[in-house]
Amino acid sequence: MSVRLPRRWATATALGAVLVTTLLGTSPAQAGPAQAGSARAEAANPTVSVPPAGSHGFPFLAAAEDLGSFGYTESESFIAGTATSYSKSGLWGSDGRWNVRASGRAAYQSRLLVRRPVDAAKFNGTVVVEWLNVSGQLELSPDYWFERDELLREGYAWVGVSAQAVGINGGLGEIKGLKGWDPARYGSLVHPGDAFAYDIFSQAGQALRTPDGPDPLGGLTIRTLLADGESQSAGLMTTYANAVQPVSGVYDGFLVHSNSALAAPISGDLGDILLMPYPSRIRTDLSVPAFVVLTETDVPGASAARQPDTDRLVRWEVAGTAHGDQWAYDLGRPTVTRSAGTAAPQPDCAAGSAPYNDGPGHYAMNAALHHLARWAQGGPRPASGAQLNADLRDPATGLAAGGIRLPDVAVPTRTLTGARDTGGSGVFCGLYGARDPWNGDTDPWDRHDAADPSDPAFPPRAEPVLSRLYPTHEEYVSKVRAAAQASTTAGYLLPEDAATVVTAAQESDIGG
């Protein structure tokens, strides 16, 4: 028998919908008129320049970790030109086959943050271009953190794009955008409003392919250019793939991580979210592949947009994962703190509440990136995955039913959930899911109520006993090894990550 938990997931669904549209258009568009008609066939090529050193002496979001130890270097470039805004052309429906026309033009100057191999021989030919996320009122790179292991070990280049006005001009946060953070470095940046963000993102890709000025990639030869966005940026990426990619043709594939069933407006105006088709699916006639990855947090707000996998679209729903999690928080926090200090966004979960989800979301993203790159190069389509039922949970373990089940879920040692009770917490807390160690209900949150991840509903049930599940350490390790091999064979887990999972099991004291 399973239990359904609608209340907590209703909160997650609402929060996800809010974040898709968070401050999409805090800066109004400022542009001259453009001739009505069809959008142009390709993106313009901006000029590239090197920014001044500025007062900090490093770019905003400069990595806190030693990239040199991985054979990587970090740099920043400015791109400048004239961007185009778009308007709807014809009716837009849920199938994502959205036509646009050029509606305005405006000057801009933005920036690219680049991490790449020092040795060109170690570059694998694929550049991941991430639409930097601004939900926290400053720029963040969540998918860099989720995908970091795969990026650095396999020789990808990564580029973060300051596509949105909030990131450059500032919004409601303490830091007033890049321009406010370091006027000496970023004072010359110009963002005319989020109606132009889509074309700025196109021109960022074009600048990487054919730089007009100092090459941001230091002379690396691109084979594959992938567009990537998480959370709010994934909502924008959905609209970009549906409406802009067909007329720009810049990118070779799309990684859409944690979008909802409602895509972002093409106008950049938050109010126009009400005019977007619901649900907003990804068009099936794209000439390049699109890979959608949803965490357990996302599924309630995205399930209305489910669609069958095709030869150009694959969608994964991953059990035991969260929209933001312990991995991304721990990896990103030093970098964000280095730039933002005490103004860095915080989950602000209530004291004494369950800790963040520490599940396998980063392993799923490593695999998705790996498969998308090869798919975009003419390789096989990635495997499909089972649908996840986020509010139907095993009463014994608290784990959700269905979905892709990596070893942390297939051979569980704790409850991992994409939702959490958010009473007394900040707006971002609900995105981090929760974990609940199985330790005889000794944690302060183990109260058999909505704040208890392993047992949030009546009647009360005790947590599983690990020594009964795994009578010996050898049995536990054997089960983890078998689950890791099954996930690897299915294509959901990379061999390098499978080895890490098995090693962690071997070094644990679980069993007996």
Side-chain angles (χ1 to χ4, degrees):
M1 179 180 176
S2 297
V3 295
R4 292 185 178 273
L5 306 175
R7 182 175 69 84
R8 198 165 53 164
W9 285 108
T11 301
T13 301
L15 182 58
V18 167
L19 288 176
V20 168
T21 59
T22 298
L23 298 161
L24 248 165
T26 56
S27 298
Q30 300 170 352
Q35 288 296 110
S38 299
R40 66 194 185 290
E42 61 181 24
N45 201 27
T47 58
V48 180
S49 62
V50 177
S55 58
H56 292 280
F58 58 85
F60 190 83
L61 275 190
E65 66 180 334
D66 180 12
L67 291 174
S69 66
F70 298 93
Y72 270 68
T73 186
E74 182 176 68
S75 62
E76 186 179 52
S77 296
F78 285 177
I79 57 171
T82 301
T84 297
S85 61
Y86 300 103
S87 298
K88 292 180 179 179
S89 178
L91 295 177
W92 284 20
S94 287
D95 63 2
R97 299 190 180 199
W98 301 341
N99 295 321
V100 293
R101 60 182 180 85
S103 59
R105 289 168 61 80
Y108 79 93
Q109 180 161 270
S110 187
R111 65 119 183 199
L112 310 177
L113 183 63
V114 179
R115 296 170 189 153
R116 61 175 176 83
V118 175
D119 183 354
K122 294 183 178 179
F123 175 51
N124 70 2
T126 297
V127 182
V128 177
V129 185
E130 181 170 356
W131 185 308
L132 294 176
N133 183 290
V134 296
S135 293
Q137 298 299 282
L138 48 76
E139 293 184 333
L140 300 175
S141 55
D143 265 2
Y144 175 83
W145 299 319
F146 275 111
E147 300 158 16
R148 175 262 203 179
D149 282 1
E150 174 67 5
L151 287 166
L152 298 187
R153 72 192 174 199
E154 293 298 326
Y156 293 82
W158 174 89
V159 178
V161 179
S162 295
Q164 288 184 258
V166 167
I168 291 176
N169 300 334
L172 301 178
E174 179 181 336
I175 293 176
K176 299 305 179 184
L178 298 176
K179 294 165 71 75
W181 182 74
D182 192 339
R185 187 182 188 99
Y186 296 121
S188 66
L189 297 187
V190 176
H191 199 299
D194 280 354
F196 299 89
Y198 297 100
D199 193 41
I200 291 172
F201 191 72
S202 294
Q203 293 192 32
Q206 200 78 306
L208 297 171
R209 289 191 183 274
T210 56
D212 180 7
D215 187 351
L217 295 174
L220 298 180
T221 301
I222 298 174
R223 180 181 179 187
T224 308
L225 196 66
L226 301 179
D228 188 353
E230 197 263 355
S231 187
Q232 181 233 15
S233 299
L236 291 148
M237 196 62 58
T238 301
T239 300
Y240 185 97
N242 283 345
V244 182
Q245 171 68 15
V247 299
S248 71
V250 171
Y251 292 98
D252 299 316
F254 291 88
L255 188 49
V256 182
H257 182 199
S258 293
N259 64 340
S260 80
L262 193 62
I266 192 68
S267 66
D269 185 339
L270 177 59
D272 287 346
I273 194 73
L274 300 175
L275 304 178
M276 291 299 291
Y278 183 86
S280 299
R281 299 187 176 93
I282 292 180
R283 64 190 303 157
T284 58
D285 62 344
L286 280 172
S287 62
V288 300
F291 202 143
V292 178
V293 181
L294 299 174
T295 70
E296 196 174 302
T297 314
D298 311 318
V299 167
S303 60
R306 280 174 173 151
Q307 57 191 119
D309 289 353
T310 71
D311 62 351
R312 280 288 177 264
L313 175 69
V314 167
R315 178 184 173 108
W316 283 2
E317 300 178 1
V318 188
T321 59
H323 188 97
D325 65 9
Q326 192 76 60
W327 170 273
Y329 180 79
D330 289 346
L331 194 58
R333 184 179 184 184
T335 289
V336 179
T337 301
R338 181 188 182 196
S339 289
T342 58
Q346 298 294 331
D348 290 330
C349 293
S353 62
Y356 310 148
N357 180 301
D358 67 349
H362 56 295
Y363 293 142
M365 289 306 297
N366 287 342
L369 173 58
H370 173 91
H371 294 312
L372 176 61
R374 281 145 188 80
W375 190 15
Q377 293 164 4
R381 194 202 77 175
S384 297
Q387 290 186 356
L388 176 69
N389 192 333
D391 65 354
L392 186 65
R393 313 188 78 80
D394 178 1
T397 64
L399 295 167
I404 290 173
R405 306 181 77 78
L406 296 174
D408 281 286
V409 174
V411 188
T413 60
R414 63 209 184 284
T415 299
L416 293 169
T417 176
R420 63 181 296 127
D421 182 77
T422 55
S425 300
V427 66
F428 292 112
C429 176
L431 299 177
Y432 284 78
R435 71 179 185 269
D436 191 358
W438 295 341
N439 52 15
D441 289 314
T442 60
D443 298 307
W445 54 84
D446 287 327
R447 299 189 301 267
H448 308 287
D449 59 16
D452 184 349
S454 63
D455 187 29
F458 188 85
R461 294 180 177 86
E463 291 174 345
V465 178
L466 289 175
S467 62
R468 294 176 185 170
L469 288 177
Y470 313 112
T472 68
H473 179 67
E474 291 73 20
E475 181 177 346
Y476 169 67
V477 173
S478 177
K479 288 184 175 181
V480 170
R481 183 179 288 110
Q485 182 58 58
S487 293
T488 302
T489 300
Y492 306 138
L493 185 67
L494 297 181
E496 301 92 333
D497 294 331
T500 299
V501 168
V502 172
T503 297
Q506 292 170 330
E507 294 177 350
S508 77
D509 59 1
I510 296 172

